[in-house]
Amino acid sequence: MGSPRIRPDAATVVAAGLLAVIGANLLPLVGVLAWGWDLTSLLIVYWVEALATVLLAALKALFAERGSPSVPGGIEPLHELRAKRGGWQPRDGWPPIYPRNVPFALSILGFWVVTVCPLTFLYLSWVSPTAALSPSLGLSIVALLVAQASSFVSEYVGDERYRDVSAREVLRTPGLLGLVIVTLGWLGTAGRAGGLVVLAGAVLAKTGVSASRFYADRVGRPILHLGERFGGGAAFSEPPPELDVPEAAVIARVAADRRSVLLGSVGAIGFGFVHRLGLCTLAAFGFALLVRDPPLIAVTGLAVLAVVAARVLSYYLRYGTVEYRRRGDALVAYDRLLDAPQWIVSVEPTMDVSVRNAIADRLLGTGTLVVSGVDSVDRDEVRLGPVRDVDRAVERLDLPVARTDRPDRDPAAIAACAGLSLLFLAVPAGLFLTPRVETSTAVGVSVAFGPFFVLLVGVLVWAALSRI
């Protein structure tokens, strides 16, 4: 985490808040001892708390101002938005929403959908709990939700704590609560729901987790250095990745071609399913087709369309709202919607610029340039475009580009890719046309091996279109 935020005159406030957190988390212990709560009652309270925490954490992550280091080996939904700089303020007086934090917010929501929710339904079907909702249980849930909402409004937004945290920091607490729920569910399925010691121990463990997280968030270091023992001292926050615009006046502007950006987003849709949430959405849709349940097909189909729409909007936000400006000796990619520069590079004779062989550019006659060796970003290259007329853009921006033509058309490669695509598509088509194979079997094989064929055909179609 960042540097400690606590001040000597704020120690009393932190201590009072810590006592309040401990008292609120020990309230279920009263329910266990005085109101006869069982394990299912605890699960209901903690499940609602975890759900509220997850939803608020996803909302908090959108406002987090500091940068978040990359997750090693992880691919978040809409991960391409991680490269966006700047924020969008929905209205005056509100903190800005940072698109770079959207992947983290979707990641925690996706984790809840694909892990906690299925485990919850499995627990309900396995244990068949018969807990009755009592007034004390309802009162505890209402108090819990009110406390969560008031903390968000008064502390996170009112005290502007969003300025001192990153999206990765915000999303650590929901993971701990999810672990508590899974542990309690395991105790229930193991047949240990009736022990008073088990119930009291679960409440005390949950209280310790919440108190430790509260102290670490306010003070900047964990209690007893438990975070260093289990977290390996990993960094969860870094300075905001904003750039300073050069002071030189704008002498030329070239806007991105929106038609080409939208067409290019079609090729990027497939990458929207390369993560847990996307794969589970496709699997659910395939299962719905297999069982032929119209309501389930409609729901899962809408989920697939939502992923597609989110991917298209994300791609458009990445490239469609950018304007390329020449400021003195610098070339600036400026996002007009977010009012922030995305990358800056010095224009020199040795500048490494090449032409991107994009399918959308071939179909619409637009052009895209690739600039390598940009120091203002943490990736190897950045994209300039697509623009309506690449030659005119090079001239207006005065870029050291000698040739802007793309590779010539290759009819032989187009024919070969088209033939192989038809060959692969003939396999699932033959299953449905052959009378010896039942329709249910054909659907099952298609669902099981469909992603493999879609991947192969997609690569071949892309290769063919790139040679048009």
Side-chain angles (χ1 to χ4, degrees):
M1 296 183 63
S3 59
R5 302 180 63 254
I6 187 171
R7 302 184 305 270
D9 57 349
T12 303
V13 177
V14 173
L18 184 61
L19 291 176
V21 169
I22 294 176
N25 280 273
L26 288 179
L27 181 61
L29 186 60
V30 178
V32 171
L33 298 177
W35 299 330
W37 287 8
D38 57 5
L39 181 62
T40 303
S41 301
L42 283 180
L43 273 174
I44 292 175
V45 173
Y46 290 159
W47 194 93
V48 173
E49 179 183 8
L51 177 60
T53 302
V54 165
L55 295 178
L56 281 177
L59 184 61
K60 288 179 179 180
L62 297 179
F63 301 120
E65 185 173 307
R66 291 183 61 83
S68 298
S70 300
V71 181
I75 300 179
E76 305 89 4
L78 306 183
H79 62 279
E80 65 277 3
L81 290 180
R82 292 286 314 279
K84 292 298 291 187
R85 288 179 164 92
W88 172 67
Q89 194 169 19
R91 60 180 298 180
D92 294 337
W94 288 20
I97 296 175
Y98 295 95
R100 63 173 177 264
N101 294 332
V102 171
F104 289 100
L106 293 179
S107 180
I108 188 61
L109 293 178
F111 173 79
W112 182 272
V113 171
V114 303
T115 56
V116 179
C117 287
L119 289 175
T120 300
F121 289 118
L122 179 63
Y123 174 83
L124 294 176
S125 61
W126 186 285
V127 180
S128 300
T130 57
L133 293 177
S134 61
S136 60
L137 190 64
L139 181 62
S140 298
I141 293 175
V142 171
L144 177 65
L145 296 179
V146 171
Q148 293 263 18
S150 61
S151 175
F152 171 75
V153 174
S154 61
E155 293 186 12
Y156 194 76
V157 177
D159 295 341
E160 298 185 346
R161 293 198 67 248
Y162 59 86
R163 297 184 180 275
D164 303 322
V165 296
S166 68
R168 284 193 64 185
E169 286 180 302
V170 170
L171 299 181
R172 282 191 292 173
T173 299
L176 294 174
L177 292 178
L179 179 61
V180 171
I181 292 178
V182 172
T183 302
L184 289 178
W186 177 81
L187 291 175
T189 55
R192 301 181 59 185
L196 180 61
V197 176
V198 173
L199 297 179
V203 174
L204 294 177
K206 166 61 173 53
T207 302
V209 169
S210 299
S212 176
R213 187 73 267 138
F214 178 89
Y215 184 86
D217 288 341
R218 269 66 177 180
V219 178
R221 59 180 183 272
I223 298 178
L224 301 179
H225 300 283
L226 293 178
E228 296 180 0
R229 296 182 183 180
F230 296 100
F236 291 89
S237 177
E238 60 187 17
E242 310 300 345
L243 299 174
D244 295 327
V245 179
E247 297 180 358
V250 177
I251 57 178
R253 304 170 186 261
V254 176
D257 186 80
R258 298 179 179 179
R259 300 174 308 145
S260 186
V261 172
L262 289 175
L263 183 59
S265 67
V266 175
I269 289 176
F271 292 98
F273 296 94
V274 188
H275 49 76
R276 279 194 306 261
L277 183 59
L279 292 176
C280 289
T281 302
L282 285 180
F285 183 62
F287 176 77
L289 294 176
L290 184 62
V291 300
R292 300 180 181 181
D293 186 353
L296 187 59
I297 291 175
V299 173
T300 55
L302 289 175
V304 171
L305 290 178
V307 174
V308 171
R311 180 66 182 181
V312 171
L313 291 175
S314 172
Y315 190 90
Y316 184 82
L317 180 60
R318 178 77 185 277
Y319 301 108
T321 59
V322 177
E323 182 179 74
Y324 304 95
R325 302 176 178 179
R326 181 65 185 266
R327 285 178 172 266
D329 294 332
L331 176 64
V332 181
Y334 199 87
D335 193 296
R336 294 171 296 178
L337 177 63
L338 302 179
D339 195 23
Q342 302 303 300
W343 51 264
I344 304 173
V345 62
S346 298
V347 180
E348 302 173 350
T350 58
M351 186 178 181
D352 188 1
V353 183
S354 59
V355 179
R356 185 172 183 267
N357 188 27
I359 296 174
D361 291 337
R362 286 183 170 271
L363 297 177
L364 298 178
T366 54
T368 303
L369 301 177
V370 176
V371 184
S372 302
V374 180
D375 296 333
S376 58
V377 295
D378 55 358
R379 52 192 185 278
D380 296 334
E381 56 187 28
V382 294
R383 181 189 303 186
L384 192 158
V387 294
R388 186 177 298 273
D389 189 335
V390 66
D391 293 316
R392 186 180 179 186
V394 168
E395 181 180 357
R396 294 189 62 181
L397 298 174
D398 193 17
L399 302 178
V401 180
R403 298 183 57 184
T404 59
D405 54 330
R406 291 182 293 269
D408 296 332
R409 179 177 300 185
D410 191 346
I414 296 174
C417 292
L420 289 175
S421 299
L422 293 176
L423 180 62
F424 282 116
L425 290 176
V427 176
L431 293 176
F432 289 94
L433 296 177
T434 302
R436 299 179 182 179
V437 180
E438 296 182 357
T439 304
S440 59
T441 303
V443 172
V445 173
S446 299
V447 171
F449 297 96
F452 174 74
F453 286 101
V454 170
L455 177 62
L456 289 177
V457 173
V459 171
L460 291 170
V461 170
W462 178 87
L465 291 175
S466 64
R467 295 299 183 269
I468 292 178

